[in-house]
Amino acid sequence: MADLTLIHTAEVHVATFAALAPEADLCHVVRPDWLARAQTGIGADLTAEISAEFKAVTGPVLCTCTTLGPTVEAMGATRVDWPMMQIAAQHAITAQKPVLMAYCLASTAEPSFALLRRAFGERHADITELALPQHWPLFEAGNSTAFCAALAESIAIELAQNDYACVVLAQASMAGTAAILAQQVALPVLASPQIAMQALLAPQILG
């Protein structure tokens, strides 16, 4: 049995998550077609297909796709962004400032917002959304470097204009943006892959 099974909707995530836990036994399921179909809603057929794949897996499962998150969470998986959202909420509560939640896909907005709101519990959820759909074609074209650079530029402009407790990079594909912004801003910039892997795997497994 693998230490962890990861459900991805982009092949690029395999290398990203494998690098975070080089000593772990990871099983990667890659289904870009699921995200393509989910863009117009997750219907009964897609839910049944995901469920069949999920039932074939033994052990813990991490879903790295934000759009599919609520569906797979209902089947028992951990959503890649849940540990990150808990940290973001704590930053906001401590600093008494809003969270800036950046995303590209419209299908990401509601599940991400709902999850972050859940992380606040009974407290007021002070969240500002920053939609950046104009940069998504760079990721789809396989140009992750340009994608993350463009995201960092847009987010930095917003941070220069308003005061936030932290930044949430709502999609796992945006993770590379954190390192760029870390050189430009002082506040925490949270990316889900590393935080999720740290939460799910024992520290001695992580490289």
Side-chain angles (χ1 to χ4, degrees):
M1 183 177 70
D3 293 323
L4 182 66
T5 295
L6 298 100
I7 297 177
H8 310 292
T9 52
E11 181 68 32
V12 68
H13 294 323
V14 174
T16 297
F17 283 84
L20 290 171
E23 302 303 318
D25 181 10
L26 304 178
C27 175
H28 300 274
V29 177
V30 184
R31 294 297 302 264
D33 58 306
W34 286 353
L35 177 57
R37 291 159 62 188
Q39 296 303 298
T40 55
I42 301 177
D45 289 349
L46 180 54
T47 299
E49 193 171 324
I50 296 171
S51 178
E53 183 71 48
F54 191 89
K55 289 176 181 177
V57 171
T58 56
V61 178
L62 175 67
C63 178
T64 67
C65 176
T66 308
T67 300
L68 297 180
T71 298
V72 182
E73 182 185 36
M75 299 175 189
T78 297
R79 294 166 65 168
V80 69
D81 45 353
W82 175 234
M84 174 181 67
M85 296 306 192
Q86 292 174 294
I87 293 173
Q90 190 56 57
H91 279 304
I93 292 167
T94 300
Q96 297 187 337
K97 297 177 183 178
V99 174
L100 178 64
M101 188 185 81
Y103 63 92
C104 292
L105 289 175
S107 59
T108 292
E110 179 50 36
S112 294
F113 183 82
L115 193 64
L116 181 52
R117 190 170 55 228
R118 186 204 302 178
F120 276 87
E122 297 299 318
R123 296 175 181 267
H124 171 66
D126 196 354
I127 305 165
T128 298
E129 298 182 32
L130 180 62
L132 300 170
Q134 68 272 24
H135 302 317
W136 187 245
L138 290 170
F139 179 79
E140 291 184 311
N143 197 341
S144 294
T145 300
F147 172 62
C148 291
L151 289 172
E153 182 177 359
S154 295
I155 294 169
I157 291 172
E158 174 63 27
L159 294 178
Q161 297 173 345
N162 296 287
D163 194 18
Y164 295 98
C166 63
V167 177
V168 161
L169 302 173
Q171 296 169 233
S173 54
M174 304 167 78
T177 307
I180 300 173
L181 285 172
Q183 302 175 13
Q184 304 174 21
V185 301
L187 80 171
V189 180
L190 307 178
S192 59
Q194 185 172 17
I195 295 172
M197 294 295 272
Q198 288 174 335
L200 289 173
L201 295 175
Q204 62 267 23
I205 293 179
L206 293 176

